[in-house]
């Protein structure tokens, strides 16, 4: 069954794009607007990574060439890896909160007030709200689940790309 699914790259990329959109809708419409959670700087970085993975996978789903699937798939894997790193760092902060919790600045305030080479390390340093656990599902925080889904996307995309036929002498095998 898994081989059947992975042998249709356009469906795989399309499914990942739809999953990304569904996860974003859940985060924005339910967690933010209904529950009332405000995203921290690391949550916003993960949200942007999810948007970019979804867009790259949607582009891959609309292309019909294996070379395009490889290109957009590898870009998606890179961005998903960055999202997984950010989620893992936030999970670590939640398990080992800073001694002095400060709310810090939001992402936009950091970028507006500091040069980019100072703002990026500040984002990954985290703040009091990055280490807060405001919502859980099946024992996992939002950052934990974000990490799990980024890793699933990476594994599925790599497995799909490995199933693509190899090109020889510039032509697809018959």
């Amino acid at each position: 069954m898994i081989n059947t699914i992975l042998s249709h790259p356009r469906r795989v990329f399309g499914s990942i794009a739809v999953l990304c959109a569904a996860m974003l809708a859940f985060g924005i419409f339910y967690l933010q607007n209904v529950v009332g959670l405000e995203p921290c700087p690391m949550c916003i970085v993960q949200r942007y990574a999810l948007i970019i993975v979804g867009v790259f996978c949607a582009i891959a789903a609309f292309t019909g060439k294996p070379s395009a699937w490889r290109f957009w798939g590898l870009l998606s894997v890179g961005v998903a890896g960055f999202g997984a790193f950010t989620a893992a760092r936030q999970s670590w902060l939640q398990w080992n909160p800073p001694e002095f919790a400060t709310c810090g600045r939001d992402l936009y305030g950091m970028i507006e007030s500091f040069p980019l080479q100072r703002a990026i390390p500040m984002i990954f340093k985290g703040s009091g709200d990055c280490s807060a656990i405001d919502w859980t599902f099946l024992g996992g925080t939002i950052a934990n689940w974000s990490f799990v889904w980024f890793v699933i996307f990476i594994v599925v995309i790599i497995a799909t790309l490995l199933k693509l036929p190899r090109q020889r002498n510039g032509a697809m095998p018959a």
Side-chain angles (χ1 to χ4, degrees):
M1 183 172 145
I2 292 176
N3 281 337
T4 306
I5 294 169
L6 294 178
S7 63
H8 299 287
R10 293 177 81 177
R11 291 182 189 166
V12 171
F13 287 119
S15 298
I16 291 173
V18 169
L19 273 169
C20 288
M23 290 166 54
L24 285 165
F26 176 75
I28 294 169
F29 295 124
Y30 179 71
L31 292 177
Q32 192 168 341
N33 292 331
V34 174
V35 178
L37 301 179
E38 286 298 318
C40 70
M42 294 178 114
C43 297
I44 292 172
V45 170
Q46 292 168 61
R47 184 179 290 181
Y48 285 143
L50 193 61
I51 290 169
I52 295 169
V53 168
V55 167
F56 286 171
C57 285
I59 293 170
F62 286 112
T63 60
K65 297 181 181 181
S67 60
W69 294 331
R70 284 185 182 93
F71 176 75
W72 292 110
L74 290 175
L75 284 177
S76 297
V77 166
V79 174
F82 177 72
F85 168 78
T86 306
R89 174 72 176 139
Q90 184 176 4
S91 293
W92 185 86
L93 283 172
Q94 290 173 342
W95 293 326
N96 303 296
E99 201 169 308
F100 299 101
T102 61
C103 289
R105 299 179 71 105
D106 66 345
L107 178 67
Y108 304 109
M110 287 181 201
I111 292 173
E112 286 177 357
S113 302
F114 299 102
L116 202 54
Q117 63 265 24
R118 281 196 56 209
I120 298 294
M122 290 170 68
I123 292 169
F124 289 105
K125 183 178 180 187
S127 65
D129 31 67
C130 287
S131 64
I133 299 174
D134 298 323
W135 184 85
T136 60
F137 177 71
L138 297 175
T141 66
I142 298 170
N144 301 148
W145 282 108
S146 180
F147 175 79
V148 166
W149 279 104
F150 279 124
V151 170
I152 289 171
F153 293 156
I154 290 168
V155 169
V156 169
I157 292 170
I158 289 174
T160 301
L161 294 178
L162 290 175
K163 292 269 308 166
L164 290 178
R166 301 274 183 225
Q167 288 182 332
R168 297 187 204 279
N169 300 332
M172 292 293 295

